[in-house]
Amino acid sequence: ILTLIVTLCTESIGFVHGVSLRSALASESRLRFNTNLRLLTAARGWYNPNGALLNGISAVLLIISYSSASVVICLDLNNSETFQMLAIAGVPLFVLGVALFLQAMIALSGMWTVKILTWSSSPFDVTAALVHHAQLTPTTFRCMRCVSEIDTYGGPAKPSETQPSAWHAHSSIRKVVISLWVIVAACAGWAVLVMYVWHHFPLSSQFTPYPLTRQTWSFFPSAQSNAIVYSLSGSDLEVGILFYVHTIFLQGPLTLVLHCSELIANVIRDERQWRCATRTKGLKVTTNLLVSTLNHPICLILFIAKPFL
């Protein structure tokens, strides 16, 4: 439940930050796509709330938020009873609150320093707002050119028979897809390493000598679960800090990849809106983020997956 609340908070903050970033890029005549990587696309100026420095800080704070939520609830090791009890760690909860507060302040400062063109994420509303505020700069000699030919200036062209895929149209899509497969390969490699160490260097005679059994495939830990166990020496504070740093180190790449996955989901959402607008019923745009997310299954699936991953 706590990770779901954190996801709701970070998604709301991210929506405000993404809208302000889109307006900042438009004011600099650098808005080429309606959807951009929020934390990896920066406006000009190091001290700009949408600049590279604060975007990097926001990325670190996002990782800390999910890492803190993962370690807030833990086992009470000081309990002398025969049954296990849960405890709420105060320090991670405090760090979580500070991280969310700082992210909110960065998003609000970005909203205050730039003129918001529109709160809608629809490409139709964004285009209308750019035209209304005279921030849409036409490029000559590019009539009927695809977005995949963004650096081609060979004059007008005939419409292409087939639409290019997002892989060719959006350069960031390729980086995101490659990053996703790298994470998949890394997780698979880590699983193989754990099984190898667990099988060849057993820590207890209770472990079965066979690495693959019904119990080892369970998502819930048991006496036969595959695991690499190591002890941390030092005081309770030192051990807690090391455990917290390990969690951030493991959570960081997954958090950033999930954030980058929003680009793929939002690009598909924008494309579906364009296709829906060509139908008989047309398209009914909305500025409500919740309605926009629920109307698109891919965005909804990604939102549900974040708290669990």
Side-chain angles (χ1 to χ4, degrees):
I1 298 177
L2 181 60
T3 53
L4 178 60
I5 296 175
V6 171
T7 302
L8 289 173
C9 294
T10 54
E11 290 297 308
S12 301
I13 295 172
F15 173 74
V16 176
H17 189 227
V19 169
S20 63
L21 175 63
R22 186 187 296 120
S23 300
L25 293 176
S27 63
E28 299 173 356
S29 299
R30 296 173 53 217
L31 185 63
R32 292 187 172 184
F33 298 97
N34 180 57
T35 300
N36 300 277
L37 288 173
R38 178 172 61 86
L39 298 178
L40 302 179
T41 304
R44 294 190 179 98
W46 280 97
Y47 297 99
N48 191 322
N50 293 301
L53 177 61
L54 290 181
N55 277 4
I57 294 176
S58 298
V60 174
L61 293 174
L62 181 64
I63 295 173
I64 293 177
S65 299
Y66 280 103
S67 301
S68 301
S70 301
V71 298
V72 164
I73 300 177
C74 56
L75 292 177
D76 186 5
L77 300 179
N78 296 323
N79 179 37
S80 59
E81 301 292 338
T82 56
F83 54 88
Q84 294 180 339
M85 296 184 63
L86 296 179
I88 298 179
V91 175
L93 189 61
F94 174 77
V95 173
L96 172 61
V98 173
L100 292 176
F101 173 76
L102 293 178
Q103 289 180 79
M105 292 304 298
I106 294 175
L108 290 176
S109 60
M111 183 182 66
W112 290 333
T113 55
V114 70
K115 182 179 180 181
I116 303 299
L117 302 179
T118 177
W119 287 100
S120 174
S121 59
S122 170
F124 295 95
D125 288 340
V126 173
T127 303
L130 291 174
V131 173
H132 177 73
H133 293 278
Q135 293 187 358
L136 186 64
T137 305
T139 304
T140 56
F141 303 109
R142 284 192 52 82
C143 181
M144 302 307 296
R145 288 285 182 181
C146 301
V147 293
S148 58
E149 301 174 351
I150 194 169
D151 296 324
T152 303
Y153 299 95
K158 294 182 179 181
S160 58
E161 297 181 358
T162 58
Q163 181 182 6
S165 63
W167 175 274
H168 297 91
H170 206 307
S171 59
S172 298
I173 291 288
R174 296 190 290 271
K175 301 176 183 178
V176 172
V177 173
I178 293 174
S179 300
L180 287 171
W181 282 109
V182 168
I183 289 293
V184 171
C187 291
W190 178 254
V192 172
L193 176 63
V194 169
M195 292 182 60
Y196 177 82
V197 174
W198 177 82
H199 179 52
H200 289 81
F201 305 96
L203 300 177
S204 173
S205 59
Q206 297 177 355
F207 291 167
T208 174
Y210 303 102
L212 296 179
T213 62
R214 294 181 179 179
Q215 289 79 11
T216 58
W217 287 104
S218 175
F219 283 97
F220 302 98
S222 63
Q224 294 183 340
S225 297
N226 296 1
I228 297 179
V229 182
Y230 57 94
S231 59
L232 298 175
S233 60
S235 61
D236 293 341
L237 179 61
E238 294 174 348
V239 172
I241 293 176
L242 288 176
F243 176 74
Y244 193 47
V245 172
H246 288 179
T247 304
I248 293 176
F249 177 76
L250 295 176
Q251 184 71 38
L254 181 60
T255 301
L256 291 179
V257 167
L258 286 176
H259 164 71
C260 295
S261 300
E262 296 177 4
L263 177 66
I264 300 177
N266 292 337
V267 166
I268 296 175
R269 178 201 62 193
D270 294 343
E271 177 61 28
R272 287 186 175 180
Q273 289 184 356
W274 280 105
R275 294 182 183 277
C276 184
T278 60
R279 299 173 184 173
T280 305
K281 295 182 179 180
L283 174 68
K284 183 179 180 181
V285 296
T286 177
T287 58
N288 192 318
L289 175 62
L290 183 60
V291 175
S292 177
T293 302
L294 295 178
N295 286 339
H296 299 279
I298 297 180
C299 297
L300 182 61
I301 293 173
L302 181 60
F303 176 80
I304 295 175
K306 286 183 178 180
F308 293 96
L309 296 177

